[in-house]
PDB file of all heavy atoms in Angstrom:
ATOM      1  N   ALA A  62       2.430   3.533  -0.675  1.00  0.00           N
ATOM      2  CA  ALA A  62       2.455   3.507   0.778  1.00  0.00           C
ATOM      3  C   ALA A  62       3.039   4.794   1.357  1.00  0.00           C
ATOM      4  O   ALA A  62       3.864   5.454   0.726  1.00  0.00           O
ATOM      5  CB  ALA A  62       3.278   2.332   1.284  1.00  0.00           C
ATOM      6  N   ASN A  63       2.613   5.119   2.589  1.00  0.00           N
ATOM      7  CA  ASN A  63       3.103   6.340   3.233  1.00  0.00           C
ATOM      8  C   ASN A  63       4.455   6.127   3.894  1.00  0.00           C
ATOM      9  O   ASN A  63       4.679   6.505   5.029  1.00  0.00           O
ATOM     10  CB  ASN A  63       2.068   6.868   4.237  1.00  0.00           C
ATOM     11  CG  ASN A  63       1.622   5.779   5.177  1.00  0.00           C
ATOM     12  OD1 ASN A  63       2.005   4.616   5.055  1.00  0.00           O
ATOM     13  ND2 ASN A  63       0.791   6.140   6.150  1.00  0.00           N
ATOM     14  N   MET A  64       5.345   5.516   3.146  1.00  0.00           N
ATOM     15  CA  MET A  64       6.718   5.354   3.632  1.00  0.00           C
ATOM     16  C   MET A  64       7.536   6.556   3.148  1.00  0.00           C
ATOM     17  O   MET A  64       7.183   7.146   2.107  1.00  0.00           O
ATOM     18  CB  MET A  64       7.294   4.039   3.129  1.00  0.00           C
ATOM     19  CG  MET A  64       6.471   2.842   3.613  1.00  0.00           C
ATOM     20  SD  MET A  64       7.045   1.271   2.965  1.00  0.00           S
ATOM     21  CE  MET A  64       8.559   1.027   3.900  1.00  0.00           C
ATOM     22  N   ASN A 167      -2.951  -0.727  11.374  1.00  0.00           N
ATOM     23  CA  ASN A 167      -3.172  -1.963  10.610  1.00  0.00           C
ATOM     24  C   ASN A 167      -3.804  -3.048  11.469  1.00  0.00           C
ATOM     25  O   ASN A 167      -3.455  -3.178  12.638  1.00  0.00           O
ATOM     26  CB  ASN A 167      -1.859  -2.463  10.017  1.00  0.00           C
ATOM     27  CG  ASN A 167      -1.493  -1.694   8.732  1.00  0.00           C
ATOM     28  OD1 ASN A 167      -1.924  -0.594   8.526  1.00  0.00           O
ATOM     29  ND2 ASN A 167      -0.703  -2.317   7.905  1.00  0.00           N
ATOM     30  N   LYS A 186      -6.976  -0.687   6.893  1.00  0.00           N
ATOM     31  CA  LYS A 186      -5.745  -1.128   6.232  1.00  0.00           C
ATOM     32  C   LYS A 186      -5.317  -2.408   6.921  1.00  0.00           C
ATOM     33  O   LYS A 186      -5.167  -2.442   8.145  1.00  0.00           O
ATOM     34  CB  LYS A 186      -4.718  -0.002   6.404  1.00  0.00           C
ATOM     35  CG  LYS A 186      -3.517  -0.123   5.507  1.00  0.00           C
ATOM     36  CD  LYS A 186      -2.960   1.255   5.174  1.00  0.00           C
ATOM     37  CE  LYS A 186      -2.230   1.935   6.283  1.00  0.00           C
ATOM     38  NZ  LYS A 186      -0.920   1.381   6.597  1.00  0.00           N
ATOM     39  N   SER A 191       3.807  -8.303   6.744  1.00  0.00           N
ATOM     40  CA  SER A 191       4.003  -8.795   5.377  1.00  0.00           C
ATOM     41  C   SER A 191       4.863  -7.879   4.532  1.00  0.00           C
ATOM     42  O   SER A 191       5.242  -8.234   3.417  1.00  0.00           O
ATOM     43  CB  SER A 191       2.625  -8.954   4.695  1.00  0.00           C
ATOM     44  OG  SER A 191       1.877  -7.781   4.846  1.00  0.00           O
ATOM     45  N   GLY A 192       5.186  -6.705   5.027  1.00  0.00           N
ATOM     46  CA  GLY A 192       5.932  -5.737   4.219  1.00  0.00           C
ATOM     47  C   GLY A 192       7.336  -6.156   3.877  1.00  0.00           C
ATOM     48  O   GLY A 192       7.989  -6.893   4.612  1.00  0.00           O
ATOM     49  N   SER A 193       7.811  -5.654   2.721  1.00  0.00           N
ATOM     50  CA  SER A 193       9.136  -6.062   2.235  1.00  0.00           C
ATOM     51  C   SER A 193      10.262  -5.539   3.115  1.00  0.00           C
ATOM     52  O   SER A 193      11.341  -6.111   3.148  1.00  0.00           O
ATOM     53  CB  SER A 193       9.339  -5.562   0.789  1.00  0.00           C
ATOM     54  OG  SER A 193       9.208  -4.166   0.754  1.00  0.00           O
ATOM     55  N   ALA A 194      10.018  -4.428   3.793  1.00  0.00           N
ATOM     56  CA  ALA A 194      11.076  -3.856   4.637  1.00  0.00           C
ATOM     57  C   ALA A 194      10.798  -4.115   6.114  1.00  0.00           C
ATOM     58  O   ALA A 194      11.307  -3.431   7.001  1.00  0.00           O
ATOM     59  CB  ALA A 194      11.180  -2.353   4.401  1.00  0.00           C
ATOM     60  N   CYS A 195       9.959  -5.124   6.366  1.00  0.00           N
ATOM     61  CA  CYS A 195       9.472  -5.374   7.718  1.00  0.00           C
ATOM     62  C   CYS A 195      10.146  -6.604   8.325  1.00  0.00           C
ATOM     63  O   CYS A 195      10.327  -7.599   7.644  1.00  0.00           O
ATOM     64  CB  CYS A 195       7.973  -5.611   7.582  1.00  0.00           C
ATOM     65  SG  CYS A 195       7.234  -6.404   8.975  1.00  0.00           S
ATOM     66  N   ILE A 196      10.508  -6.499   9.603  1.00  0.00           N
ATOM     67  CA  ILE A 196      11.046  -7.693  10.269  1.00  0.00           C
ATOM     68  C   ILE A 196      10.242  -8.040  11.512  1.00  0.00           C
ATOM     69  O   ILE A 196      10.734  -8.735  12.395  1.00  0.00           O
ATOM     70  CB  ILE A 196      12.551  -7.559  10.591  1.00  0.00           C
ATOM     71  CG1 ILE A 196      12.824  -6.291  11.423  1.00  0.00           C
ATOM     72  CG2 ILE A 196      13.400  -7.551   9.329  1.00  0.00           C
ATOM     73  CD1 ILE A 196      14.225  -6.252  12.015  1.00  0.00           C
ATOM     74  N   THR A 197       9.017  -7.519  11.591  1.00  0.00           N
ATOM     75  CA  THR A 197       8.153  -7.739  12.757  1.00  0.00           C
ATOM     76  C   THR A 197       8.004  -9.261  13.036  1.00  0.00           C
ATOM     77  O   THR A 197       8.073  -9.712  14.185  1.00  0.00           O
ATOM     78  CB  THR A 197       6.784  -7.105  12.539  1.00  0.00           C
ATOM     79  OG1 THR A 197       6.986  -5.705  12.489  1.00  0.00           O
ATOM     80  CG2 THR A 197       5.825  -7.446  13.646  1.00  0.00           C
ATOM     81  N   ASP A 228      -2.371  -4.217   2.708  1.00  0.00           N
ATOM     82  CA  ASP A 228      -1.142  -3.442   2.827  1.00  0.00           C
ATOM     83  C   ASP A 228       0.053  -4.359   3.008  1.00  0.00           C
ATOM     84  O   ASP A 228       0.199  -5.013   4.040  1.00  0.00           O
ATOM     85  CB  ASP A 228      -1.261  -2.488   4.035  1.00  0.00           C
ATOM     86  CG  ASP A 228       0.009  -1.693   4.268  1.00  0.00           C
ATOM     87  OD1 ASP A 228       0.834  -1.588   3.345  1.00  0.00           O
ATOM     88  OD2 ASP A 228       0.156  -1.148   5.390  1.00  0.00           O
ATOM     89  N   GLY A 229       0.916  -4.366   1.991  1.00  0.00           N
ATOM     90  CA  GLY A 229       2.198  -5.090   2.103  1.00  0.00           C
ATOM     91  C   GLY A 229       2.177  -6.461   1.486  1.00  0.00           C
ATOM     92  O   GLY A 229       1.148  -7.101   1.308  1.00  0.00           O
ATOM     93  N   GLY A 230       3.379  -6.914   1.102  1.00  0.00           N
ATOM     94  CA  GLY A 230       3.530  -8.269   0.631  1.00  0.00           C
ATOM     95  C   GLY A 230       3.424  -8.477  -0.861  1.00  0.00           C
ATOM     96  O   GLY A 230       3.527  -9.629  -1.324  1.00  0.00           O
ATOM     97  N   VAL A 231       3.201  -7.404  -1.631  1.00  0.00           N
ATOM     98  CA  VAL A 231       3.157  -7.618  -3.096  1.00  0.00           C
ATOM     99  C   VAL A 231       4.588  -7.830  -3.590  1.00  0.00           C
ATOM    100  O   VAL A 231       5.457  -6.978  -3.436  1.00  0.00           O
ATOM    101  CB  VAL A 231       2.528  -6.384  -3.820  1.00  0.00           C
ATOM    102  CG1 VAL A 231       2.785  -6.437  -5.301  1.00  0.00           C
ATOM    103  CG2 VAL A 231       1.046  -6.341  -3.519  1.00  0.00           C
ATOM    104  N   MET A 249      -2.115  -1.552  -1.239  1.00  0.00           N
ATOM    105  CA  MET A 249      -1.034  -0.589  -0.967  1.00  0.00           C
ATOM    106  C   MET A 249       0.318  -1.239  -1.172  1.00  0.00           C
ATOM    107  O   MET A 249       0.515  -2.395  -0.774  1.00  0.00           O
ATOM    108  CB  MET A 249      -1.165  -0.108   0.495  1.00  0.00           C
ATOM    109  CG  MET A 249      -0.115   0.887   0.896  1.00  0.00           C
ATOM    110  SD  MET A 249      -0.379   1.539   2.552  1.00  0.00           S
ATOM    111  CE  MET A 249      -1.411   2.942   2.189  1.00  0.00           C
ATOM    112  N   MET A 250       1.245  -0.472  -1.774  1.00  0.00           N
ATOM    113  CA  MET A 250       2.584  -1.023  -2.032  1.00  0.00           C
ATOM    114  C   MET A 250       3.674  -0.001  -1.706  1.00  0.00           C
ATOM    115  O   MET A 250       3.505   1.184  -2.023  1.00  0.00           O
ATOM    116  CB  MET A 250       2.708  -1.357  -3.503  1.00  0.00           C
ATOM    117  CG  MET A 250       1.918  -2.575  -3.883  1.00  0.00           C
ATOM    118  SD  MET A 250       2.081  -2.903  -5.643  1.00  0.00           S
ATOM    119  CE  MET A 250       0.886  -1.787  -6.298  1.00  0.00           C
ATOM    120  N   GLY A 251       4.730  -0.510  -1.084  1.00  0.00           N
ATOM    121  CA  GLY A 251       5.867   0.351  -0.767  1.00  0.00           C
ATOM    122  C   GLY A 251       7.067  -0.077  -1.605  1.00  0.00           C
ATOM    123  O   GLY A 251       7.506   0.623  -2.493  1.00  0.00           O
ATOM    124  N   GLY A 252       7.586  -1.262  -1.295  1.00  0.00           N
ATOM    125  CA  GLY A 252       8.799  -1.754  -1.950  1.00  0.00           C
ATOM    126  C   GLY A 252       8.703  -1.778  -3.453  1.00  0.00           C
ATOM    127  O   GLY A 252       9.686  -1.550  -4.164  1.00  0.00           O
ATOM    128  N   PHE A 253       7.507  -2.017  -3.968  1.00  0.00           N
ATOM    129  CA  PHE A 253       7.313  -2.125  -5.426  1.00  0.00           C
ATOM    130  C   PHE A 253       7.692  -0.804  -6.128  1.00  0.00           C
ATOM    131  O   PHE A 253       8.245  -0.810  -7.221  1.00  0.00           O
ATOM    132  CB  PHE A 253       5.849  -2.466  -5.724  1.00  0.00           C
ATOM    133  CG  PHE A 253       5.561  -2.684  -7.161  1.00  0.00           C
ATOM    134  CD1 PHE A 253       5.834  -3.922  -7.762  1.00  0.00           C
ATOM    135  CD2 PHE A 253       5.026  -1.694  -7.939  1.00  0.00           C
ATOM    136  CE1 PHE A 253       5.583  -4.113  -9.112  1.00  0.00           C
ATOM    137  CE2 PHE A 253       4.773  -1.874  -9.277  1.00  0.00           C
ATOM    138  CZ  PHE A 253       5.043  -3.099  -9.880  1.00  0.00           C
ATOM    139  N   PHE A 290      16.117   2.066   0.454  1.00  0.00           N
ATOM    140  CA  PHE A 290      14.705   1.956   0.913  1.00  0.00           C
ATOM    141  C   PHE A 290      14.757   1.432   2.352  1.00  0.00           C
ATOM    142  O   PHE A 290      15.560   0.556   2.664  1.00  0.00           O
ATOM    143  CB  PHE A 290      14.016   0.948  -0.020  1.00  0.00           C
ATOM    144  CG  PHE A 290      12.614   0.584   0.372  1.00  0.00           C
ATOM    145  CD1 PHE A 290      11.633   1.551   0.528  1.00  0.00           C
ATOM    146  CD2 PHE A 290      12.253  -0.752   0.549  1.00  0.00           C
ATOM    147  CE1 PHE A 290      10.326   1.229   0.852  1.00  0.00           C
ATOM    148  CE2 PHE A 290      10.970  -1.095   0.874  1.00  0.00           C
ATOM    149  CZ  PHE A 290       9.982  -0.113   1.028  1.00  0.00           C
ATOM    150  N   GLY A 292      12.453   0.467   6.111  1.00  0.00           N
ATOM    151  CA  GLY A 292      11.205   0.286   6.867  1.00  0.00           C
ATOM    152  C   GLY A 292      10.995   1.458   7.805  1.00  0.00           C
ATOM    153  O   GLY A 292      11.977   2.014   8.343  1.00  0.00           O
ATOM    154  N   MET A 293       9.744   1.849   8.000  1.00  0.00           N
ATOM    155  CA  MET A 293       9.459   3.022   8.813  1.00  0.00           C
ATOM    156  C   MET A 293       9.642   2.748  10.306  1.00  0.00           C
ATOM    157  O   MET A 293       9.637   3.656  11.118  1.00  0.00           O
ATOM    158  CB  MET A 293       8.073   3.565   8.508  1.00  0.00           C
ATOM    159  CG  MET A 293       7.913   4.040   7.077  1.00  0.00           C
ATOM    160  SD  MET A 293       9.245   5.125   6.515  1.00  0.00           S
ATOM    161  CE  MET A 293       8.985   6.568   7.537  1.00  0.00           C
ATOM    162  N   SER A 294       9.741   1.469  10.691  1.00  0.00           N
ATOM    163  CA  SER A 294      10.018   1.168  12.090  1.00  0.00           C
ATOM    164  C   SER A 294      11.481   0.700  12.263  1.00  0.00           C
ATOM    165  O   SER A 294      11.822   0.099  13.273  1.00  0.00           O
ATOM    166  CB  SER A 294       9.089   0.057  12.579  1.00  0.00           C
ATOM    167  OG  SER A 294       7.778   0.426  12.407  1.00  0.00           O
ATOM    168  N   SER A 295      12.293   0.978  11.257  1.00  0.00           N
ATOM    169  CA  SER A 295      13.692   0.579  11.363  1.00  0.00           C
ATOM    170  C   SER A 295      14.457   1.591  12.229  1.00  0.00           C
ATOM    171  O   SER A 295      14.015   2.729  12.397  1.00  0.00           O
ATOM    172  CB  SER A 295      14.333   0.555   9.989  1.00  0.00           C
ATOM    173  OG  SER A 295      14.306   1.841   9.404  1.00  0.00           O
ATOM    174  N   GLU A 313      12.045  -2.744  13.932  1.00  0.00           N
ATOM    175  CA  GLU A 313      11.167  -3.725  13.253  1.00  0.00           C
ATOM    176  C   GLU A 313      11.173  -3.499  11.749  1.00  0.00           C
ATOM    177  O   GLU A 313      10.219  -3.791  11.040  1.00  0.00           O
ATOM    178  CB  GLU A 313       9.741  -3.674  13.801  1.00  0.00           C
ATOM    179  CG  GLU A 313       9.671  -4.240  15.214  1.00  0.00           C
ATOM    180  CD  GLU A 313       8.272  -4.415  15.757  1.00  0.00           C
ATOM    181  OE1 GLU A 313       7.347  -4.715  14.957  1.00  0.00           O
ATOM    182  OE2 GLU A 313       8.092  -4.270  16.964  1.00  0.00           O
ATOM    183  N   GLY A 314      12.254  -2.911  11.271  1.00  0.00           N
ATOM    184  CA  GLY A 314      12.332  -2.695   9.831  1.00  0.00           C
ATOM    185  C   GLY A 314      13.757  -2.822   9.345  1.00  0.00           C
ATOM    186  O   GLY A 314      14.698  -2.773  10.157  1.00  0.00           O
TER     187      GLY A 314
HETATM  188  P1  5GP B  28       5.624  -3.617   0.845  1.00  0.00           P
HETATM  189  O1  5GP B  28       4.723  -3.144  -0.272  1.00  0.00           O
HETATM  190  O2  5GP B  28       6.948  -2.961   0.770  1.00  0.00           O
HETATM  191  O3  5GP B  28       5.698  -5.113   0.885  1.00  0.00           O
HETATM  192  O4  5GP B  28       4.909  -3.209   2.184  1.00  0.00           O
HETATM  193  C1  5GP B  28       4.635  -1.870   2.497  1.00  0.00           C
HETATM  194  C2  5GP B  28       4.082  -1.805   3.921  1.00  0.00           C
HETATM  195  O5  5GP B  28       5.039  -2.325   4.878  1.00  0.00           O
HETATM  196  C3  5GP B  28       3.801  -0.426   4.429  1.00  0.00           C
HETATM  197  O6  5GP B  28       2.634   0.147   3.907  1.00  0.00           O
HETATM  198  C4  5GP B  28       3.730  -0.646   5.935  1.00  0.00           C
HETATM  199  O7  5GP B  28       2.462  -1.121   6.353  1.00  0.00           O
HETATM  200  C5  5GP B  28       4.735  -1.779   6.156  1.00  0.00           C
HETATM  201  N1  5GP B  28       5.989  -1.273   6.731  1.00  0.00           N
HETATM  202  C6  5GP B  28       6.751  -0.240   6.313  1.00  0.00           C
HETATM  203  N2  5GP B  28       7.840  -0.094   7.088  1.00  0.00           N
HETATM  204  C7  5GP B  28       7.778  -1.053   8.032  1.00  0.00           C
HETATM  205  C8  5GP B  28       8.616  -1.389   9.146  1.00  0.00           C
HETATM  206  O8  5GP B  28       9.671  -0.832   9.407  1.00  0.00           O
HETATM  207  N3  5GP B  28       8.169  -2.434   9.928  1.00  0.00           N
HETATM  208  C9  5GP B  28       7.013  -3.077   9.671  1.00  0.00           C
HETATM  209  N4  5GP B  28       6.633  -4.060  10.486  1.00  0.00           N
HETATM  210  N5  5GP B  28       6.215  -2.795   8.611  1.00  0.00           N
HETATM  211  C10 5GP B  28       6.592  -1.780   7.825  1.00  0.00           C
END
Side-chain angles (χ1 to χ4, degrees):
N63 50 357
M64 299 177 73
N167 280 23
K186 195 150 74 73
S191 52
S193 59
C195 162
I196 55 167
T197 294
D228 178 19
V231 166
M249 179 175 271
M250 288 179 278
F253 185 81
F290 174 57
M293 297 312 293
S294 303
S295 62
E313 289 189 33

